[in-house]
Amino acid sequence: MKVDNVYIAALDVHLPDPFPAEEAVAQGLYDPADYEENGLTATLIAGDISAPDMAVLAARKALTRFDVDPGTVDLLLHATVYHQGPEVWSPAAYIQQAVLHTPAPAIEVRQGCNGMLTAIELACCYLHSVPGRQAALLTAADNFASPVIDRWRSGPGFLAADAASAVLLSTRDGFARVRAVDAVTIPEMEGLHRGDEPLFPPGAIAGRKIDLRRRSSYFREHSMMLTDALEHITKVQGELINRVLAEAGIGLADIARIAYMNAARYIVEYWLTRPLGIPLSKSTWDFGRGIGHAGASDQIISLEHLLRTRQLQPGDHVLLAGVAPGLSVAAVVVEILEVPAPLTSQEAEQGDVAASAGGEGRR
């Protein structure tokens, strides 16, 4: 979908401290063979702060840093992968009341690791569906500390990371603009992340540990060889990326950097860079290997890093892409119009104070 007049007006993240993978190996938490094969150096661990509270921290920092009036926000979308708090409750509304204090709709998006990319597409449609709508606040957050998740072993090729991100889209102006966005589902691959697990009772209630290795093995044995699955996924993903680039009016050679899921080197190479014929250095893998797979926040965390470290300049195009259970594939093209100035020490302190005011007392 070609996008007109939707800009990124604000962006920020909340990143807990990293836990070194080497130390996890020494403590027996992480398999030495996986450590050597994956090339991942750390993952972020947040402790006992909730995912919605991390989203509040990221959103408040973004709105404070870019001096945004919360009253202009017409929609809040909160992307999640794992449990956010009490059942039969709305984490999106929690974030809305903590950050915006307005009657804007607050909606949770459950699209796995593509949640933020899907939220961008939904927000673009929402903002242009009614004249006069100005802005949408998008957040994503997860804390994977859970007795049913082993962040070091639950899945092949990634380490579960705790983090949050926030993006404000505006129909008026911003430092970057969304040029195109699209997503597709490959329904025949749905079982890849389900395996032979029963749908009822839910795994969290039954106390079943999450084991994505076992699920993919079952899918391989009963549905499709993983080599065939990978070939199918990369074909669909390549077609989607080419379509989104065409809608943005550019080609792959015009992309300055690609922000993908934070996963093992072999995953980023086999799933992304080799099929597209681009060097690994064009991706954000080298940065993401020390962050971990932070649910739906990976691409925004990488974009924030590229901006903060001045690796982008006006006129650059960035591709945000991902794959998620479903199986869904999504892509967004963003054009950098200007690089936000680095925070001064006073601005950083003000942002931290505002974020703390939003997060304290609600854990």
Side-chain angles (χ1 to χ4, degrees):
M1 178 180 73
K2 180 180 179 181
V3 179
D4 293 315
N5 301 320
V6 175
Y7 304 88
I8 298 179
L11 180 151
D12 220 315
V13 299
H14 174 74
L15 305 182
D17 293 334
F19 190 98
E22 187 175 20
E23 185 173 339
V25 172
Q27 295 184 18
L29 301 173
Y30 192 24
D31 294 332
D34 288 342
Y35 173 62
E36 293 296 330
E37 180 183 27
N38 294 339
L40 305 175
T41 60
T43 193
L44 309 182
I45 300 180
D48 61 0
I49 181 173
S50 75
D53 278 322
M54 288 194 289
V56 168
L57 296 178
R60 281 186 172 267
K61 286 199 297 181
L63 299 185
T64 299
R65 176 183 177 187
F66 291 91
D67 193 24
V68 176
D69 177 7
T72 65
V73 178
D74 300 290
L75 173 71
L76 186 147
L77 298 177
H78 178 54
T80 67
V81 173
Y82 197 59
H83 296 293
Q84 300 286 296
E87 301 296 339
V88 195
W89 169 76
S90 172
Y94 177 84
I95 298 164
Q96 202 271 6
Q97 64 84 21
V99 177
L100 301 180
H101 309 291
T102 71
I107 302 167
E108 183 178 3
V109 177
R110 292 296 299 270
Q111 190 66 356
C113 316
N114 280 338
M116 183 61 91
L117 305 186
T118 299
I120 291 174
E121 182 172 17
L122 294 174
C124 288
C125 295
Y126 184 89
L127 290 174
H128 283 311
S129 64
V130 175
R133 287 177 175 169
Q134 299 181 49
L137 177 62
L138 319 179
T139 60
D142 274 293
N143 184 328
F144 291 103
S146 167
V148 300
I149 292 181
D150 182 341
R151 70 173 72 243
W152 305 99
R153 294 188 173 99
S154 283
F158 73 88
L159 304 176
D162 309 331
S165 59
V167 175
L168 183 80
L169 297 183
S170 170
T171 57
R172 296 191 170 184
D173 56 30
F175 64 84
R177 65 171 175 164
V178 180
R179 294 288 305 275
V181 56
D182 207 346
V184 295
T185 299
I186 310 175
E188 62 269 29
M189 305 282 297
E190 171 272 327
L192 180 62
H193 293 86
R194 174 172 50 85
D196 63 342
E197 289 202 16
L199 300 184
F200 191 85
I205 295 176
R208 293 192 300 270
K209 288 187 175 296
I210 294 176
D211 188 346
L212 296 179
R213 299 174 192 265
R214 183 178 182 278
R215 296 182 195 178
S216 62
S217 294
Y218 182 88
F219 181 81
R220 178 191 64 215
E221 294 169 5
H222 294 83
S223 299
M224 186 184 303
M225 293 295 296
L226 294 185
T227 52
D228 295 334
L230 175 60
E231 181 179 354
H232 188 35
I233 293 169
T234 55
K235 177 179 181 294
V236 173
Q237 179 179 251
E239 293 171 348
L240 174 73
I241 288 174
N242 287 330
R243 183 166 66 250
V244 170
L245 292 173
E247 290 166 343
I250 60 173
L252 188 59
D254 299 309
I255 293 294
R257 299 296 295 273
I258 299 178
Y260 201 55
M261 303 170 296
N262 295 335
R265 176 173 181 152
Y266 73 85
I267 288 180
V268 178
E269 286 184 327
Y270 294 169
W271 291 49
L272 180 75
T273 60
R274 290 184 184 177
L276 293 180
I278 61 174
L280 184 66
S281 59
K282 202 165 189 175
S283 76
T284 53
W285 177 80
D286 194 54
F287 164 70
R289 66 191 297 219
I291 297 294
H293 183 24
S297 288
D298 282 0
Q299 296 87 351
I300 302 304
I301 291 172
S302 292
L303 178 59
E304 190 275 339
H305 168 75
L306 293 174
L307 291 165
R308 178 169 41 81
T309 55
R310 322 299 282 181
Q311 296 184 54
L312 296 172
Q313 59 186 358
D316 281 348
H317 290 84
V318 182
L319 175 66
L320 315 178
V323 177
L327 190 135
S328 76
V329 180
V332 180
V333 174
V334 173
E335 180 186 4
I336 306 302
L337 303 178
E338 60 180 289
V339 178
L343 287 176
T344 65
S345 58
Q346 182 178 3
E347 288 172 333
E349 183 177 350
Q350 290 174 344
D352 289 340
V353 169
S356 296
E360 289 178 355
R362 292 192 306 278
R363 298 185 186 177

